């Protein structure tokens, strides 16, 4: 759950502490001014891609088209029925007769059905009321009074998504599932939580904030601030990008709710009272202020009946006073300066200032204007031919765009922002002048027709690409516009918007230039915001928190202190009590499909000897191509530079194309080209793995020859000598890595903790750990990049040829012959090595992937093995200026095919749900924590945004003792299995089917055996693996911590401090 700031925070969704910047703050999460980035960016977002599958008109769509405007259905009246053929769906709008609640149903032939309910929440201060409320409503309700039904449902359901998000001006509760019974169960829990929550005082204490003794059982220890949201927001604002984004929104829209922090400012959160929270719920969480959304192929009438009977029929209509008034436009531009902590991971200490120029744009409910401005923003900033990319990024004045560069369509009025980070303080004026000059240039020259075509081509691809989380993407895409009473159905008619856009350009070739003149050049509502590091920033924040604490404590009478002590003990007792969750609905293990659906694959060969895996799928006119090249012969000293090689390879130019022309061709002819380093664990041996680079791309079938020609040019003649361009890319890559650490600290800690436990650990750390972050910082600070640049052709020589290459294609059966011919042509264009190259590590095992269908040739994978590898223990503390910690402990266990792996997988879910969640989140106040088992057999215990460190390691040890003593029931085991199967059976998009076989050599038969091992997991097996692998002295373990100075670690010589 969480808050969504200007960009999202990791959510509490289905147990994940989140990958890099998912979409919000949720109580899962908080989201300030989070952007679905208008029609376009929202479409291409990573967390829930708004991308569609163009089915032929389906049963679900046809059923929905039969509804009549004015028809009455279970307390609702139909107000609109519209086919949206470009997204293969039918939209049905309704309103609730008794309360005025709005409802949108999108019928589409998709099994992964989605529900959400959204409230407009407009706080008047930064105490975090909407965010803390979003956490607290999920802690128990009238029908489901047990503690924390939200987290408990994660283990009683086969949901494909469950979360809650707080944005700047709305709160959203979405879930999705493929199972009709599960949908009804989750809907019942969500409705009761939103409309009839218990809102107990102790839940407010736990989730929001409280004053409590450091050790609750000892009243002599000092009183301190505790609380999940309080610590979450301290972690959020440890990220300088978040500080900047939040201030940008607050200063640009200062008149109403956008002037405050909806997620809560840690210094204001302690001003919120329990009474205020309850009042906020009464005024904002009413059906008259609610918007309901359903999506998929389940029948609409069943949803309407349940929502009416279980919730809406119990309310009368009110007039919600939650509307956001228009921001009054300024009559002259404004400037603000703010400060932040220095970034110890960013390159260059002198250039750490961030500056941006932002413009207020029109109301987001003008759908076509918003679409146009979103496209215009992309033309201004996206890609190396964009005017702002050329004038700002290539000026050498900074390391990358400022946070939130581009179009932001999440507030009532949209805004456009552009600037640089990594700037020297004295260059702030120069950046501001460059922004003005660039706009003048655009007004004069306009945009090349090819760039506009490339952007419209991108929309065509996004409409055709099928995402497994399409319903979720749609609810996020329409949320902001609908929140301000815009028409959500208009927003979905992308085909009509593109046609209107083309017509405007045709009628007036200066259409876009005039928009730049109107909204940028002549706009007085313009903000220049700069942020400069202050060495004392963290110290000042701590000081202000200490002042706030002192002020709170000094106002307490002895009776108040006694009451706090008793409340603290009461909360501790409540958290420690065994929970009866029998009131909650649940699926049974018998509801899980016994067998996996088969994926038909064939393996052909290209140019005689390169295997090509062909997977025929309903890909809706798109072709997906992947190639995997081995790194076995790359010399050791070049390994750490492989991620950099991958990130620049498709951006330096190739053949006769310079980097701008190449970028243009990539945009015009493909959905993007990518290369990423891979360390793939073997499924039978812990110290065997495959190392390589995965190349991936997609295109419309008509552009397949062009896409494969681009790959041929990149493999055969990449322009690896372009030093100036290389310098720009290096700075941007280093900056992005540094910016990502606060959001992904638990992942960096886990990678480091596992580094010495298996032979692949070193390479995983070099490719994706803190070592890579620090190497990139070093490279970005190097004046002469020639030595680094010279490494690229050496890596190319070992990698970009047809030795040890394998390819994969996903396309429709009709497209497959053409696709195979195109891949064959690509492979034939590649050279072989002149001489037989020896692998750097001598022990290479050739392993055939299990045969695909039709008796086709097996794919040979060349794995590295190290029979002499000895795991060793290591404890590392990365000193970082964060107010919270990220803790990980890893243990070496069993590979995928070992039956113990299945037991450990279930054990990880069991320990998370039944022990670690209570100890780390509820009692410890961390934002998240749990256990997980990797495909490679590394068992990890972790915490996220954690106020504690050594105590958390103690909780990890206690979790192991708890598991070894078998203090869990058969019901607990069944719930853990449901949770594991929800992840194992998560839907897979047509573009990704067969990928497990291609990368890991996993056949359907192997997956089915593993599935049966999961079903067979029993109590004795769980206790046995706990003892054999997790017991002290049984397996080698590693520990890592990212966080502030720690006196206990500093005194302990067994820790390495970095």
């Amino acid at each position: 759950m969480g808050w969504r700031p200007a960009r999202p925070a990791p959510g509490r969704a289905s147990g994940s502490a989140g990958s890099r910047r998912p979409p919000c703050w949720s109580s899962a999460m908080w989201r300030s001014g989070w952007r679905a980035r208008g029609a376009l960016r929202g479409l291409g977002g990573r967390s829930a891609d708004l991308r569609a599958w163009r089915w032929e008109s389906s049963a679900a769509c046809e059923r929905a088209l039969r509804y009549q405007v004015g028809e009455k259905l279970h307390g609702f009246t139909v107000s609109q029925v519209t086919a949206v053929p470009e997204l293969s769906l039918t939209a049905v709008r309704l309103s609730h007769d008794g309360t005025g609640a709005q409802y949108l149903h999108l019928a589409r032939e998709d099994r992964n059905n989605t529900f959400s309910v959204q409230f407009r929440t407009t706080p008047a201060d930064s105490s975090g009321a909407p965010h803390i409320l979003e956490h607290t409503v999920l802690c128990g309700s009238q029908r489901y009074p047990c503690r924390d039904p939200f987290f408990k449902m994660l283990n009683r359901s086969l949901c494909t998504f469950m979360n809650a998000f707080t944005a700047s001006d709305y709160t959203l509760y979405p879930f999705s599932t493929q199972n009709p019974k599960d949908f009804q169960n989750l809907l019942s829990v969500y409705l009761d939580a939103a409309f009839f929550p218990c809102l107990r005082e102790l839940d407010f204490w736990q989730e929001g904030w409280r004053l409590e003794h450091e050790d609750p059982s000892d009243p002599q220890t000092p009183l301190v601030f505790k609380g999940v949201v309080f610590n979450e927001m301290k972690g959020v604002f440890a990220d300088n990008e978040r500080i900047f984004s939040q201030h940008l929104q607050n200063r640009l829209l200062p008149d109403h709710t956008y002037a405050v922090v909806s997620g809560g400012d840690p210094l204001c959160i302690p001003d919120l009272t329990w009474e205020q929270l309850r009042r906020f719920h009464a005024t904002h969480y009413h059906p008259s202020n609610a918007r309901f959304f359903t999506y998929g192929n389940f029948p609409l009438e069943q949803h309407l009946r349940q929502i009416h009977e279980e919730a809406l029929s119990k309310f009368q209509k009110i007039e919600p006073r939650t509307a956001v008034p228009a921001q009054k436009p300024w009559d002259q531009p404004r400037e603000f300066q703010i400060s932040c902590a220095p970034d110890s991971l960013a390159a260059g200490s002198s250039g750490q200032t961030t500056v941006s120029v932002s413009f207020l744009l029109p109301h987001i409910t003008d759908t076509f204007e918003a679409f146009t401005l979103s496209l215009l923003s992309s033309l201004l900033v996206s890609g190396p031919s964009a005017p702002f990319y050329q004038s700002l990024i290539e000026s050498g004045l900074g390391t990358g765009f400022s946070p939130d560069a581009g179009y932001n369509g999440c507030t009532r009025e949209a805004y456009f922002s552009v600037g640089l980070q990594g700037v020297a303080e004295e260059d702030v004026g120069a950046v501001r002048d460059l922004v003005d000059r660039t706009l003048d240039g655009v007004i004069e020259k306009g945009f090349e027709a090819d760039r506009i075509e490339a952007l419209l081509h991108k929309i065509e691809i996004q409409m055709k690409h099928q995402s497994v989380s399409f319903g979720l993407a749609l609810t996020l895409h329409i949320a902001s516009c609908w929140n301000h009473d815009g028409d959500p159905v208009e927003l979905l008619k992308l085909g009509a918007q593109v046609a209107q856009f083309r017509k405007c350009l045709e009628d007036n070739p200066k259409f876009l230039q005039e928009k730049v003149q109107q909204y940028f050049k002549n706009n007085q509502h313009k903000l220049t915001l700069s942020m400069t590091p202050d060495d004392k920033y963290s110290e000042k924040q701590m000081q202000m928190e200490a002042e706030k604490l002192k002020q709170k404590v000094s106002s307490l009478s002895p009776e108040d202190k006694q009451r706090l002590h008793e409340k603290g003990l009461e909360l501790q007792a409540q958290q420690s009590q065994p929970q009866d969750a029998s009131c909650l609905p649940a699926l049974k293990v018998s509801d899980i499909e016994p067998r996996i659906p088969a994926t038909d694959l064939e393996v052909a060969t290209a140019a005689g000897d390169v295997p090509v895996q062909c997977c025929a799928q309903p890909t809706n006119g798109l072709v997906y191509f992947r190639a995997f090249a081995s790194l076995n012969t790359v010399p050791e000293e070049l390994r750490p530079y492989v991620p950099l090689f991958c990130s620049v390879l498709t951006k330096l130019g190739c053949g006769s194309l310079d980097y701008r022309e190449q970028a243009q061709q990539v945009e015009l002819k493909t959905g993007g080209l990518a290369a990423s380093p891979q360390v793939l664990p073997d499924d039978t041996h812990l110290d065997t793995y495959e190392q390589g680079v995965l190349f991936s791309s997609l295109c419309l079938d008509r552009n397949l020859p062009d896409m494969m020609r681009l790959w041929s040019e990149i493999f055969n003649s990449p322009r690896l000598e372009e030093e100036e361009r290389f310098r720009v890319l290096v700075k941007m890559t280093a900056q992005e890595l540094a910016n990502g650490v606060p959001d992904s600290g638990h992942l960096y800690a886990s990678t480091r903790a596992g580094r010495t436990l298996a032979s692949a650990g070193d390479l995983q750390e070099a490719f994706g750990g803190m070592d890579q972050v620090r190497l990139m910082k070093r490279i970005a600070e190097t004046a002469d990049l020639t030595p680094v640049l010279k490494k690229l052709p050496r890596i190319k020589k070992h990698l970009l040829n047809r030795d040890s290459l394998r390819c994969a294609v996903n396309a429709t059966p009709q497209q497959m012959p053409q696709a195979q011919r195109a891949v064959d042509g690509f492979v034939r264009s590649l050279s072989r090595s002149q001489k037989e190259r020896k692998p750097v590590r001598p022990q290479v095992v050739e392993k055939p992937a299990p045969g695909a269908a039709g008796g086709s040739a097996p794919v040979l994978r060349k794995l590295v093995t190290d029979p002499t590898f000895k795991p060793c223990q290591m404890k590392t503390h990365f000193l970082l200026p964060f107010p919270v910690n990220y803790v990980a402990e890893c243990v070496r266990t069993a590979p995928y095919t070992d039956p113990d792996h299945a037991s450990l997988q279930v054990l990880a879910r069991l320990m998370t749900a039944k022990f670690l969640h209570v100890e780390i989140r509820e009692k410890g106040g961390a934002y998240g924590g749990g256990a997980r088992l990797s495909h490679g057999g590394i068992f990890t215990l972790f915490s996220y945004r954690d106020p504690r460190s050594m105590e958390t390691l103690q909780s990890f040890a206690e979790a192991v003792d708890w598991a070894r003593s078998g203090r869990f029931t058969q019901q607990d085991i069944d719930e853990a299995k449901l949770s594991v199967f929800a992840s194992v059976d998560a839907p897979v998009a047509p573009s990704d089917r067969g990928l497990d076989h291609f990368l890991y050599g996993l056949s359907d038969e192997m997956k089915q055996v593993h599935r049966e091992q999961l079903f067979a997991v029993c109590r004795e097996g769980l206790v046995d693996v706990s003892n054999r692998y997790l017991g002290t002295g049984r397996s080698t373990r590693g520990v890592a911590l990212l966080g502030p100075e720690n006196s206990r670690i500093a005194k302990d010589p067994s820790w390495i401090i970095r």
Side-chain angles (χ1 to χ4, degrees):
M1 300 136 114
W3 169 70
R4 286 197 169 190
R7 262 136 344 171
R12 128 191 196 177
S14 311
S16 78
S19 58
R20 174 79 176 130
R21 303 214 189 281
C24 323
W25 297 152
S26 43
S27 31
M29 247 175 248
W30 159 82
R31 211 182 165 179
S32 105
W34 173 75
R35 56 231 218 151
R37 281 263 200 122
L40 239 196
R41 301 274 178 96
L43 281 173
R46 288 280 303 276
S47 45
D49 302 340
L50 170 43
R51 296 162 172 172
W53 188 337
R54 194 189 298 251
W55 279 276
E56 294 312 307
S57 183
S58 65
C61 290
E62 287 179 4
R63 244 195 342 261
L65 281 169
R66 291 182 199 139
Y67 292 117
Q68 301 291 317
V69 171
E71 192 176 341
K72 302 279 186 189
L73 298 164
H74 307 291
F76 288 84
T77 302
V78 177
S79 59
Q80 183 187 354
V81 181
T82 310
V84 185
E86 58 263 58
L87 300 180
S88 313
L89 56 84
T90 300
V92 183
R93 285 190 76 177
L94 310 96
S95 62
H96 186 251
D97 304 333
T99 63
Q102 298 181 49
Y103 196 113
L104 174 64
H105 177 67
L106 300 180
R108 193 159 177 270
E109 206 47 58
D110 186 346
R111 285 179 56 222
N112 195 21
N113 286 251
T114 302
F115 163 85
S116 73
V117 60
Q118 168 184 336
F119 303 98
R120 193 194 285 144
T121 47
T122 47
D125 60 41
S126 294
S127 64
H131 186 194
I132 292 170
L133 180 62
E134 174 228 317
H135 278 244
T136 315
V137 300
L138 299 175
C139 288
S141 60
Q142 286 177 18
R143 272 182 80 179
Y144 306 112
C146 66
R147 206 173 78 245
D148 212 350
F150 177 89
F151 271 105
K152 290 186 173 60
M153 284 306 290
L154 285 173
N155 300 300
R156 301 168 75 89
S157 152
L158 289 171
C159 66
T160 54
F161 185 85
M162 252 182 94
N163 215 328
F165 305 128
T166 303
S168 299
D169 53 11
Y170 67 81
T171 306
L172 181 76
Y173 294 87
F175 70 74
S176 57
T177 178
Q178 304 176 85
N179 181 301
K181 181 178 165 192
D182 199 23
F183 192 98
Q184 287 174 27
N185 290 351
L186 289 167
L187 180 54
S188 185
V189 172
Y190 266 56
L191 289 172
D192 212 55
F195 293 104
F196 312 106
C198 297
L199 297 182
R200 294 172 284 236
E201 188 176 17
L202 284 181
D203 292 332
F204 167 64
W205 272 39
Q206 172 186 290
E207 294 297 317
W209 77 277
R210 64 187 180 277
L211 275 177
E212 188 178 84
H213 292 285
E214 225 164 51
D215 175 354
S217 53
D218 180 0
Q220 299 312 307
T221 56
L223 284 165
V224 291
F225 287 130
K226 295 184 183 177
V228 173
V229 170
F230 178 76
N231 287 315
E232 177 191 346
M233 297 311 293
K234 279 175 74 172
V236 162
F237 290 125
D239 179 346
N240 289 343
E241 287 196 294
R242 291 281 169 75
I243 294 172
F244 190 85
S245 299
Q246 183 63 54
H247 275 278
L248 173 57
Q249 181 181 295
N250 297 159
R251 309 278 188 180
L252 190 67
L253 294 152
D255 288 3
H256 195 256
T257 196
Y258 304 124
V260 305
V261 184
S262 66
D265 178 331
L267 294 171
C268 304
I269 287 172
D271 297 332
L272 182 69
T273 66
W274 178 45
E275 290 73 25
Q276 286 169 335
L277 185 85
R278 293 164 66 87
R279 224 170 19 250
F280 195 90
H281 179 270
T283 52
H284 291 80
Y285 279 46
H286 188 283
S288 303
N289 191 41
R291 288 157 180 79
F292 291 89
F293 170 93
T294 48
Y295 161 91
N297 64 355
F298 294 163
L300 165 63
E301 286 169 59
Q302 196 168 334
H303 304 333
L304 297 175
R305 181 190 295 119
Q306 189 176 348
I307 290 168
H308 174 70
E309 287 174 3
E310 293 185 17
L312 303 192
S313 59
K314 301 173 171 69
F315 289 88
Q316 300 297 312
K317 188 171 186 173
I318 62 163
E319 207 46 66
R321 303 189 190 285
T322 56
V324 180
Q327 166 65 46
K328 190 167 176 286
W330 300 342
D331 50 18
Q332 62 185 56
R334 297 182 187 178
E335 276 193 40
F336 286 101
Q337 286 85 33
I338 57 170
S339 58
C340 64
D343 187 346
S344 57
L345 297 170
S349 51
S350 63
Q352 284 203 10
T353 292
T354 299
V355 57
S356 75
V357 180
S358 307
F359 301 88
L360 192 69
L361 299 176
H363 201 304
I364 56 172
T365 56
D366 182 341
T367 311
F368 180 65
E369 199 69 350
F371 178 79
T372 301
L373 289 169
S374 168
L375 285 186
L376 176 57
S377 301
S378 290
L379 288 168
L380 288 168
V381 297
S382 294
S385 297
F388 279 120
Y389 191 103
Q390 292 184 35
S391 66
L392 293 179
I393 299 291
E394 295 182 351
S395 67
L397 289 173
T399 52
F401 279 128
S402 51
D404 286 355
Y407 181 86
N408 297 266
C410 287
T411 43
R412 184 184 185 275
E413 286 93 358
Y415 55 94
F416 172 85
S417 183
V418 71
L420 283 175
Q421 51 187 324
V423 177
E425 202 175 344
E426 61 271 18
D427 288 332
V428 166
V431 173
R432 192 183 46 215
D433 294 346
L434 273 176
V435 170
D436 291 341
R437 284 211 300 278
T438 307
L439 291 171
D440 290 339
V442 171
I443 291 165
E444 191 189 327
K445 297 185 194 127
F447 300 100
E448 292 165 36
D450 257 6
R451 290 202 58 234
I452 297 169
E453 268 319 306
L455 208 48
L456 297 175
H457 166 257
K458 195 173 183 178
I459 296 174
E460 186 180 357
I461 283 192
Q462 288 166 348
M463 287 194 294
K464 282 175 170 283
H465 175 76
Q466 305 150 53
S467 148
V468 291
S469 53
F470 192 53
L472 177 66
L474 289 170
T475 193
L476 292 173
H477 179 60
I478 64 174
S480 289
C481 179
W482 198 17
N483 191 48
H484 297 290
D485 301 316
D487 183 343
V489 180
E490 279 305 305
L491 208 56
L492 301 176
K493 295 181 181 169
L494 288 170
Q497 290 170 30
V498 170
Q500 189 180 345
F501 181 77
R502 285 191 185 280
K503 173 121 182 39
C504 289
L505 272 178
E506 214 175 284
D507 295 347
N508 175 11
K510 294 205 160 181
F511 172 63
L512 290 173
Q513 284 142 282
E514 287 168 11
K515 295 286 177 201
V516 175
Q517 180 84 41
Q518 178 187 357
Y519 291 122
F520 301 108
K521 186 70 182 163
N522 300 344
N523 189 348
Q524 291 301 302
H525 200 113
K526 171 182 176 181
L527 170 74
T528 304
L529 180 67
S530 58
M531 178 174 76
T532 308
D534 172 359
D535 290 338
K536 296 265 168 43
Y537 181 84
S538 303
E539 204 181 299
K540 288 174 186 169
Q541 292 295 117
M542 284 162 68
Q543 212 175 333
M544 287 192 286
E545 191 186 314
E547 282 295 316
K548 186 86 178 176
L549 180 64
K550 193 173 148 195
Q551 180 198 328
K552 288 277 177 193
V553 174
S554 63
S555 67
L556 298 172
S557 66
E559 294 77 23
D560 293 334
K561 288 182 181 172
Q562 180 59 30
R563 202 161 38 245
L564 282 180
H565 175 54
E566 286 163 9
K567 277 277 195 201
L569 292 174
E570 192 187 338
L571 179 61
Q572 200 178 26
Q574 178 184 293
Q575 289 166 336
S576 304
Q577 267 167 9
Q579 283 293 299
D580 175 15
S582 57
C583 62
L584 288 170
L587 293 182
K588 299 185 178 67
V589 174
S590 56
D591 290 319
I592 300 166
E593 291 291 335
R595 298 197 63 79
I596 59 164
T599 303
D600 290 331
L601 302 171
E602 285 188 14
V603 179
T605 53
D609 60 352
V610 170
V612 182
Q613 175 182 294
C614 302
C615 184
Q617 290 290 337
T619 56
N620 197 25
L622 293 176
V623 178
Y624 297 85
F625 167 75
R626 294 177 177 92
F628 186 89
S630 172
L631 284 167
N632 284 352
T633 66
V634 174
E636 293 281 354
E637 77 274 10
L638 294 177
R639 297 286 163 87
Y641 297 90
V642 169
L644 175 58
F645 177 87
C646 290
S647 98
V648 303
L649 177 65
T650 56
K651 303 184 185 92
L652 286 170
C654 59
S656 61
L657 303 173
D658 67 24
Y659 67 90
R660 287 204 176 100
E661 293 162 338
Q662 180 191 29
Q664 189 77 327
Q665 283 304 303
V666 168
E667 292 272 294
L668 267 172
K669 301 296 185 186
T670 80
L673 309 180
S676 60
Q678 303 285 325
V679 183
L680 307 173
D682 181 39
D683 42 55
T684 50
H685 298 285
L686 290 180
D687 294 317
T688 303
Y689 60 93
E690 189 177 19
Q691 50 181 354
V693 169
L694 177 66
F695 303 93
S696 42
S697 62
L698 69 152
C699 66
L700 298 166
D701 51 6
R702 66 173 186 258
N703 292 328
L704 183 61
D706 294 306
M707 180 172 83
M708 296 318 295
R709 203 173 304 122
L710 276 167
W711 276 125
S712 290
E713 294 278 328
I714 287 167
F715 268 63
N716 290 315
S717 46
R719 294 194 174 185
L720 301 179
E721 62 295 323
E722 302 278 345
E723 188 169 348
E724 277 317 298
R725 171 68 175 154
F726 181 61
R727 181 178 300 283
V728 167
L729 295 173
V730 161
K731 281 185 181 177
M732 289 179 85
T733 306
Q735 184 73 57
E736 280 166 16
L737 276 178
N739 291 346
V741 174
D743 263 357
S744 307
H746 61 306
L747 302 178
Y748 283 108
S750 303
T751 302
R752 171 57 63 134
R755 178 188 177 177
T756 55
L757 302 185
S759 61
D762 253 349
L763 197 57
Q764 282 161 333
E765 174 67 30
F767 281 179
M770 289 300 291
D771 279 2
Q772 180 63 212
V773 178
R774 295 191 154 175
L775 172 69
M776 283 309 303
K777 168 181 159 71
R778 244 187 354 263
I779 296 172
E781 287 172 341
T782 306
D784 179 12
L785 284 175
T786 317
V788 180
L789 198 56
K790 282 188 171 159
K791 295 179 195 294
L792 302 188
R794 292 176 61 204
I795 296 172
K796 173 209 180 284
K797 193 171 66 180
H798 290 274
L799 188 66
L800 303 184
N801 53 51
R802 67 161 91 166
D803 310 344
S804 305
L805 185 74
R806 60 180 186 269
C807 300
V809 176
N810 284 30
T812 62
Q814 298 84 343
Q815 291 159 342
M816 200 54 88
Q818 178 207 359
Q820 281 176 294
R821 283 194 300 278
V823 172
D824 188 74
F826 160 69
V827 173
R828 285 184 192 282
S829 79
L830 304 183
S831 59
R832 290 182 191 286
S833 291
Q834 270 66 43
K835 56 178 195 288
E836 177 74 17
R837 285 212 177 84
K838 291 277 179 282
V840 174
R841 299 194 173 182
Q843 302 88 353
V844 169
V845 215
E846 290 204 339
K847 187 170 181 180
S856 43
V859 175
L860 274 182
R861 297 166 68 230
K862 293 184 177 175
L863 292 96
V864 178
T865 185
D866 188 351
T868 62
F869 178 80
K870 289 275 182 293
C872 66
Q873 313 230 123
M874 189 180 277
K875 298 197 280 192
T876 313
H877 178 198
F878 286 100
L879 268 179
L880 293 168
F882 299 158
V884 287
N885 298 282
Y886 303 85
V887 189
E889 180 169 350
C890 290
V891 186
R892 177 184 163 97
T893 62
Y896 179 80
T897 52
D898 188 319
D900 287 349
H901 189 95
S903 295
L904 287 157
Q905 230 177 318
V906 174
L907 182 67
R909 294 297 170 102
L910 193 58
M911 287 167 78
T912 299
K914 300 297 169 187
F915 191 90
L916 291 166
H917 174 72
V918 173
E919 294 299 318
I920 291 173
R921 184 179 166 111
E922 293 186 352
K923 293 185 186 175
Y927 182 41
R932 59 162 69 109
L933 179 69
S934 74
H935 183 79
I938 301 293
F939 192 95
T940 304
L941 300 140
F942 67 93
S943 73
Y944 184 81
R945 291 192 184 145
D946 189 346
R948 310 185 305 168
S949 54
M950 304 312 278
E951 301 86 347
T952 295
L953 288 171
Q954 183 56 40
S955 295
F956 292 167
E958 288 163 6
V960 170
D961 293 340
W962 174 87
R964 291 173 64 200
S965 64
R967 279 180 288 178
F968 41 82
T969 63
Q970 186 55 46
Q971 172 73 21
D972 295 339
I973 297 169
D974 288 348
E975 288 181 10
K977 284 186 184 179
L978 273 171
S979 180
V980 169
F981 276 108
S983 147
V984 167
D985 291 342
V988 181
S991 54
D992 294 339
R993 290 187 195 139
L995 203 50
D996 281 350
H997 183 269
F998 178 67
L999 289 177
Y1000 297 92
L1002 283 184
S1003 64
D1004 285 349
E1005 292 70 26
M1006 291 165 75
K1007 288 193 212 167
Q1008 185 60 35
V1009 167
H1010 182 67
R1011 188 178 193 82
E1012 279 150 25
Q1013 289 168 346
L1014 286 170
F1015 278 120
V1017 169
C1018 63
R1019 181 188 184 78
E1020 294 70 33
L1022 290 164
V1023 173
D1024 175 53
V1025 293
S1026 304
N1027 279 309
R1028 276 192 296 119
Y1029 294 104
L1030 306 185
T1032 312
R1034 292 298 182 135
S1035 286
T1036 314
R1037 54 193 65 218
V1039 177
L1041 167 70
L1042 272 68
E1045 286 189 21
N1046 188 307
S1047 55
R1048 284 170 66 184
I1049 290 178
K1051 292 182 200 132
D1052 183 344
S1054 67
W1055 283 82
I1056 294 166
I1057 298 176
R1058 297 285 302 268

